[in-house]
Amino acid sequence: MTEKLIYLDNNATTKVDEKVLEEMMPYFKEEYANPSSMYDFSKKSSKAIKEARGKIKDFVNANDEKEIIFTSCGSESANTAIRGVLNYNKNKKHIITSKVEHPCVLNLYKSLEKQGYKVDYIGVNSNGELNLEELEQAVNENTALVSIMWANNETGVLNPMDKISDIIKTKNKDTKLFVDAVQVAGKIPIDVQANGIDLLGISGHKFHAPKGIGALYVNSKTMITPLIIGGHQERGKRAGTENVPYIAGIGKAAELAQDNLKYELTEVKRLRDKLESNIINKIYNARLNTGVANRVPNTTNIGFEYIEGELILLHLSDLGICASSGSACTSGSLEPSHVLRAMNVPFTAIHGSIRWSLSRFTTEEEIDYVIENLPSIIEKVTSISPYQKELKALKALKSK
Ligand code: PLP
């Protein structure tokens, strides 16, 4: 075991920024009033919500603060948007999504399919890019909603939201577009108006606010039926006494993310590229799973051929390095990720695929430490692989 901590799993969650914590503290301590109360004591908490709403409005470039609803997480934002649109207009029974969505969309679509909705799941190419022709063909006069993520959580691959919105609206101007923007918040600029987006969800813990707070943008022309019914909070779109400290926190995190966007697009990208090119150049059985696809600046997904990702992660963990594999342990068997399967990543690399995701807190020393230590880990794991003949052939091919 080591005291070192090199956290390269920022697509899973991020460290809370000290400045975010500072912003939140008064609302845990002295400013604990219910923001809906009538007395003066509640004014600071209701003002904190108003300010945070304004910051999220600016962050996503919404037209009006009223278009922002605070939720508990990215999953709630997606569920509120998707169920909200479908429950408001129950006549249309066709919905579309992609094969590589986060489970909060994909599993919801599967449950809607069981309830009688006709669903089209749009595929991606081997770089993880959405098949836009397939999308265009799928939209029809009965399509109520399309849900497409802006960036994929496992690969970081970006979807061209402006084109996607154009394709959908040209075929059916009434079809609503929900965008899961959880993995772009703080990584690239978000502009709901320029991209023709009707609904958009983000999650605080992916951009240095705490877990347990999210936001949903709902365009003023888009009607939804609320998921949580009760009091009048969030203009009747999401009942429940507001989580004032966390709302203040996500507002501050959005402001900081906006201030740091340039750094993210230059420095974080430079460190990601350094890590990626060193791994690909130094390790013969490494392959970049996304090829030339356009990606968020912090993510790289690399497959190590003929070896097991879990074993790599255990060795990394011994050195204090946190990364993640696409695999999820389901029913006792190690199922490769649905995202990499949809991309047809070869079976030789799919089990040994590792996602590395950086943040603005990642340092050059940390990246150098990984670059220095990874080759010997891969060598160790490769030496016990049952595919020695194939590895030898691959090595010979790469050294040509
Ligand atoms: N969407 C994407 C693309 C994600 O990566 C995640 C979390 O990993 C979510 C949605 C769900 O967010 P939350 O954990 O806040 O529910």
Side-chain angles (χ1 to χ4, degrees):
M1 286 297 283
T2 169
E3 289 296 301
K4 240 182 169 49
L5 176 67
I6 294 174
Y7 187 73
L8 297 177
D9 200 15
N10 288 280
N11 286 8
T13 198
T14 58
K15 157 184 176 160
V16 176
D17 192 306
E18 284 292 331
K19 294 190 190 96
V20 169
L21 205 54
E22 254 170 53
E23 187 86 8
M24 295 170 66
M25 286 319 278
Y27 307 99
F28 283 117
K29 292 176 163 176
E30 55 273 20
E31 301 298 341
Y32 56 83
N34 187 320
S36 300
S37 299
M38 289 304 290
Y39 33 75
D40 275 2
F41 177 40
S42 77
K43 284 203 172 122
K44 278 207 178 138
S45 31
S46 58
K47 185 164 168 261
I49 296 177
K50 187 171 168 38
E51 281 178 8
R53 207 183 297 283
K55 287 174 186 171
I56 300 292
K57 167 200 162 270
D58 292 345
F59 188 49
V60 302
N61 196 31
N63 190 38
D64 194 321
E65 273 169 37
K66 295 193 187 92
E67 295 172 316
I68 306 298
I69 300 169
F70 289 110
T71 65
S72 67
C73 59
S75 304
E76 188 192 322
S77 295
N79 272 260
T80 305
I82 296 168
R83 290 181 194 273
V85 165
L86 299 181
N87 287 340
Y88 189 82
N89 179 0
K90 293 196 166 145
N91 297 328
K92 293 184 175 177
K93 294 289 181 193
H94 178 231
I95 52 178
I96 298 173
T97 191
S98 85
K99 287 183 180 169
V100 297
E101 296 297 306
H102 186 271
C104 72
V105 171
L106 219 42
N107 288 340
L108 174 56
Y109 263 62
K110 283 181 191 154
S111 96
L112 290 165
E113 202 172 358
K114 285 195 188 122
Q115 289 166 40
Y117 279 89
K118 182 177 177 322
V119 183
D120 276 311
Y121 298 95
I122 309 300
V124 293
N125 67 13
S126 60
N127 289 341
E129 295 157 317
L130 194 73
N131 186 332
L132 298 182
E133 281 166 24
E134 199 183 330
L135 173 67
E136 185 170 12
Q137 277 160 21
V139 181
N140 63 44
E141 69 283 354
N142 200 28
T143 310
L145 178 80
V146 179
S147 180
I148 299 287
M149 67 197 333
W150 200 324
N152 185 270
N153 44 306
E154 291 187 32
T155 61
V157 171
L158 283 162
N159 281 317
M161 294 321 311
D162 51 348
K163 260 195 209 158
I164 287 171
S165 162
D166 256 11
I167 289 172
I168 296 165
K169 302 287 174 178
T170 306
K171 290 278 306 266
N172 184 346
K173 65 174 181 25
D174 297 325
T175 300
K176 297 295 178 190
L177 171 62
F178 167 66
V179 176
D180 172 354
V182 166
Q183 291 294 346
V184 290
K187 298 171 187 169
I188 61 163
I190 298 177
D191 189 331
V192 288
Q193 298 186 69
N195 287 285
I197 294 167
D198 299 307
L199 308 104
L200 175 137
I202 57 174
S203 173
H205 74 103
K206 310 285 184 177
F207 59 101
H208 307 292
K211 295 154 196 67
I213 183 75
L216 173 66
Y217 158 80
V218 184
N219 181 298
S220 57
K221 295 190 194 88
T222 301
M223 297 301 145
I224 60 167
T225 298
L227 207 61
I228 303 175
I229 295 171
H232 60 274
Q233 294 91 351
E234 302 298 304
R235 296 186 168 79
K237 303 251 175 61
R238 200 263 191 183
T241 301
E242 299 91 336
N243 188 350
V244 186
Y246 281 61
I247 290 174
I250 197 174
K252 184 69 185 175
E255 186 182 76
L256 293 169
Q258 195 68 32
D259 292 347
N260 281 291
L261 260 186
K262 199 167 159 220
Y263 182 85
E264 195 85 23
L265 292 162
T266 52
E267 264 307 286
V268 175
K269 181 177 183 302
R270 185 183 69 76
L271 291 178
R272 188 277 309 268
D273 290 347
K274 180 177 182 182
L275 176 69
E276 182 176 287
S277 60
N278 271 277
I279 295 177
I280 299 295
N281 295 334
K282 285 190 179 155
I283 301 174
Y284 75 90
N285 56 337
R287 84 188 280 277
L288 181 60
N289 284 330
T290 49
V292 295
N294 192 18
R295 287 172 292 157
V296 282
N298 80 319
T299 310
T300 183
N301 191 306
I302 297 176
F304 297 93
E305 300 213 54
Y306 300 107
I307 56 178
E308 283 297 334
E310 276 65 29
L311 213 47
I312 305 171
L313 292 183
L314 289 177
H315 282 287
L316 287 170
S317 176
D318 284 345
L319 295 179
I321 303 168
C322 308
S324 87
S325 73
S327 311
C329 200
T330 44
S331 61
S333 71
L334 287 172
E335 274 281 311
S337 114
H338 71 286
V339 176
L340 301 184
R341 268 185 295 157
M343 291 162 68
N344 279 321
V345 169
F347 84 96
T348 53
I350 203 165
H351 290 278
S353 287
I354 305 286
R355 174 187 74 186
W356 313 82
S357 47
L358 289 64
S359 82
R360 63 176 185 256
F361 295 106
T362 305
T363 64
E364 186 114 33
E365 290 71 38
E366 291 176 335
I367 294 302
D368 289 342
Y369 181 76
V370 178
I371 292 171
E372 192 185 318
N373 286 286
L374 186 65
S376 60
I377 291 178
I378 300 297
E379 216 175 292
K380 223 183 286 173
V381 180
T382 304
S383 72
I384 57 164
S385 161
Y387 295 97
Q388 292 304 318
K389 214 171 80 198
E390 290 82 355
L391 281 159
K392 213 170 147 191
L394 183 66
K395 196 173 197 171
L397 191 77
K398 287 281 177 81
S399 62
K400 269 186 190 162

